[in-house]
Amino acid sequence: MTATSAAHAAATATAAEGVAYDVVLRGARVLVDGTVAPRQVGVNDGRIAAVVPYEETLEGERVVELGEHQVLLPGLVDTHVHVNEPGRTEWEGFDSATRAAAAGGVTTLIDMPLNSIPPTIDVAALETKQEVAAAKAHIDVGFWGGAVPGNEADLRPLHDAGAFGFKCFLLHSGVDEFAPLTPEAMEADMAILAEFDSLMIVHAEDAGTIDAAPEPSGTGYAGFLASRPRSAEDTAIQAVIEAARRTGARAHILHLSSSDALDAIRAAKADGVRITVETCPHYLTLEAEAIPDGATAYKCCPPIRERANRDLLWEALADGTIDCIVSDHSPSTVELKLAGGGDFGQAWGGVSSLQLGLSLIWDEAKRRGIALERVVDWMATNTSRLVGLENKGRIGVGADADFAVFEPETALRVDAAQLHHRNPVTPYDGRELTGVVASAWVRGEQVDFETPRGKLIRRGEA
């Protein structure tokens, strides 16, 4: 008997003995191990204690019957979110960010080390951020550390304090308090991380290539696109690959935009280089050809590229070259996002989409004939694996009872003013989508958007 079948048999036996569960969720469509089928899920003490066929009888203090139009999914895990608190809470904050995440079916997020003040580049800054988040989190929250010039001695202490890995930039980050590394300094830090098998996650755009490109200015999107050429990503990604090859460290490419880099990534993976890759909803659902002049809500770095580039990113997801999809939720105030009256050289570069990711990706995937199960792989299973959260991103005995109740056929019209994001600006405002999150559950409790019940999580926690 396999471990999986043994666990299922034990769960069924427990159910047959009439043990009452804290919560039982029952539905005709429940996603378990890549298959949707009629099932019941029993929850005790915040963990999944039983997964049985729908015809079995589970008793619970609370029994939730899903509608025929609903699917029970594992809660999504978004490993790329800029919450910005403390220091820039007017951009976003743990209360608004975690409510938005829950409304989008995200039950765990990992917060980036910037654009908070202080950035998470030492243990004291991590503790400051944890203290602020603890009383505000509606979902579970973990933290990345930062790798910047001069904090080499802080990397191991941050790792020991529970940081999930370390983010670096290879060009100016957009905020002065989080300085970039040179490729040589990145490799030196990766050699340190290899000693304790931590993960370097990299904003991979080459500073020299960007410096040589045209300056972004004015309202034309074509001009902005020219200022962030694909070659900047391609050059930086090659540097990350070679550093990972030489040091043996694990490396992760953030927010891949350039399809030109895919062949190098495929070759590196085939060679055994320990590299993983993510992309984002804006690269998979938007296209440069359709971005109006002056529409700085679309500005992000690296930029949204052409339709043909987008199609190649989808192909790379399908063949496993790209491992996962994350939001890269990078909000700012409306004033910063629309600065300069639509001038792409002045506006803040970042897309707000934390609440919308599942709906966006499912809507596009459905058009392409891609099953919902694959979407969940990219947005829950693989993101959980990236950060070592074995109890997240799946519905199975022993896992955390984190769920998203999803209605894949329900229509949605995005209204930025009605989102939980602190600032009502997103390139998706007015977009018609198919797929709505009806509710989210964290550790067996339904998120009510009033009482923060999320927990702070650390690397290596069971």
Side-chain angles (χ1 to χ4, degrees), residues 22-145:
D22 298 335
V23 182
V24 174
L25 295 97
R26 310 174 69 243
R29 294 193 284 177
V30 178
L31 176 59
V32 177
D33 293 333
T35 303
V36 174
R39 293 182 171 102
Q40 298 183 80
V41 180
V43 176
N44 273 332
D45 299 322
R47 292 281 183 97
I48 297 172
V51 179
V52 301
Y54 187 84
E55 296 76 17
E56 300 267 353
T57 300
L58 294 188
E59 298 178 2
E61 293 182 22
R62 180 182 180 189
V63 176
V64 178
E65 184 76 44
L66 274 64
E68 292 184 358
H69 63 298
Q70 296 179 324
V71 186
L72 188 67
L73 306 177
L76 306 187
V77 177
D78 192 336
T79 56
H80 193 151
V81 180
H82 294 267
V83 177
N84 303 326
E85 187 177 17
R88 290 191 174 95
T89 310
E90 70 275 14
W91 292 20
E92 195 64 274
F94 284 101
D95 177 60
S96 56
T98 57
R99 282 190 286 109
V106 175
T107 55
T108 303
L109 69 79
I110 312 298
D111 175 58
M112 283 291 165
L114 71 165
N115 301 298
S116 57
I117 302 174
T120 317
I121 56 175
D122 55 37
V123 172
L126 173 62
E127 291 173 346
T128 296
K129 188 171 282 191
Q130 289 171 326
E131 182 178 356
V132 171
K136 299 180 179 181
H138 294 265
I139 65 169
D140 287 357
V141 175
F143 301 92
W144 294 107

Side-chain angles (χ1 to χ4, degrees), residues 205-218:
E205 288 182 286
D206 179 67
T209 305
I210 298 292
D211 288 344
E215 284 286 330
S217 62

Side-chain angles (χ1 to χ4, degrees), residues 71-412:
V71 186
L72 188 67
L73 306 177
L76 306 187
V77 177
D78 192 336
T79 56
H80 193 151
V81 180
H82 294 267
V83 177
N84 303 326
E85 187 177 17
R88 290 191 174 95
T89 310
E90 70 275 14
W91 292 20
E92 195 64 274
F94 284 101
D95 177 60
S96 56
T98 57
R99 282 190 286 109
V106 175
T107 55
T108 303
L109 69 79
I110 312 298
D111 175 58
M112 283 291 165
L114 71 165
N115 301 298
S116 57
I117 302 174
T120 317
I121 56 175
D122 55 37
V123 172
L126 173 62
E127 291 173 346
T128 296
K129 188 171 282 191
Q130 289 171 326
E131 182 178 356
V132 171
K136 299 180 179 181
H138 294 265
I139 65 169
D140 287 357
V141 175
F143 301 92
W144 294 107
V148 298
N151 84 326
E152 298 87 353
D154 293 297
L155 301 179
R156 183 60 190 258
L158 274 166
H159 173 81
D160 292 342
F164 283 87
F166 297 88
K167 180 176 187 176
C168 73
F169 280 75
L170 295 179
L171 78 172
H172 194 279
S173 69
V175 292
D176 292 338
E177 67 273 5
F178 198 94
L181 298 178
T182 63
E184 295 77 18
M186 174 189 67
E187 183 168 340
D189 279 1
M190 287 172 68
I192 295 171
L193 299 188
E195 297 173 4
F196 42 93
D197 199 33
S198 190
L199 176 66
M200 181 69 89
I201 64 175
V202 186
H203 182 122
E205 288 182 286
D206 179 67
T209 305
I210 298 292
D211 288 344
E215 284 286 330
S217 62
T219 60
Y221 186 75
F224 173 66
L225 188 59
S227 77
R228 314 289 293 211
R230 297 188 197 197
S231 57
E233 279 190 89
D234 306 338
T235 299
I237 288 170
Q238 192 62 54
V240 176
I241 288 170
E242 294 311 314
R245 190 191 305 275
R246 287 189 288 264
T247 62
R250 294 188 293 135
H252 180 71
I253 302 299
L254 297 168
H255 44 52
L256 179 68
S257 162
S258 171
S259 62
D260 289 354
L262 292 170
D263 284 345
I265 293 166
R266 288 188 180 101
K269 287 189 169 191
D271 287 346
V273 177
R274 302 172 75 196
I275 192 162
T276 50
V277 185
E278 70 184 35
T279 192
C280 307
H282 36 282
Y283 303 127
L284 297 168
T285 66
L286 302 173
E287 56 191 46
E289 295 92 334
I291 297 176
D293 288 351
T296 51
Y298 292 81
K299 180 182 176 181
C300 57
C301 301
I304 296 158
R305 302 193 188 278
E306 301 83 359
R307 184 183 304 112
N309 182 88
R310 180 186 66 186
D311 292 341
L312 290 171
L313 295 181
W314 276 102
E315 290 179 14
L317 278 163
D319 70 21
T321 304
I322 299 175
D323 300 272
C324 51
I325 303 172
V326 297
S327 68
D328 187 13
H329 180 67
S330 184
S332 72
T333 62
V334 175
E335 292 75 19
L336 283 172
K337 192 61 186 162
L338 305 181
D343 188 325
F344 280 94
Q346 296 185 43
W348 174 257
V351 170
S352 292
S353 65
L354 180 56
Q355 186 171 333
L356 300 170
L358 179 56
S359 298
L360 288 164
I361 294 301
W362 167 238
D363 185 78
E364 185 70 25
K366 186 177 181 181
R367 288 196 188 100
R368 294 170 179 268
I370 297 170
L372 181 59
E373 293 89 330
R374 293 300 308 278
V375 171
V376 173
D377 282 344
W378 296 323
M379 303 185 76
T381 308
N382 293 356
T383 48
S384 299
R385 184 178 298 122
L386 174 70
V387 291
L389 289 173
E390 299 297 328
N391 292 328
K392 302 290 189 184
R394 64 186 178 91
I395 295 177
V397 173
D400 290 344
D402 299 345
F403 309 112
V405 178
F406 189 56
E407 299 177 359
E409 290 86 32
T410 300
L412 167 67

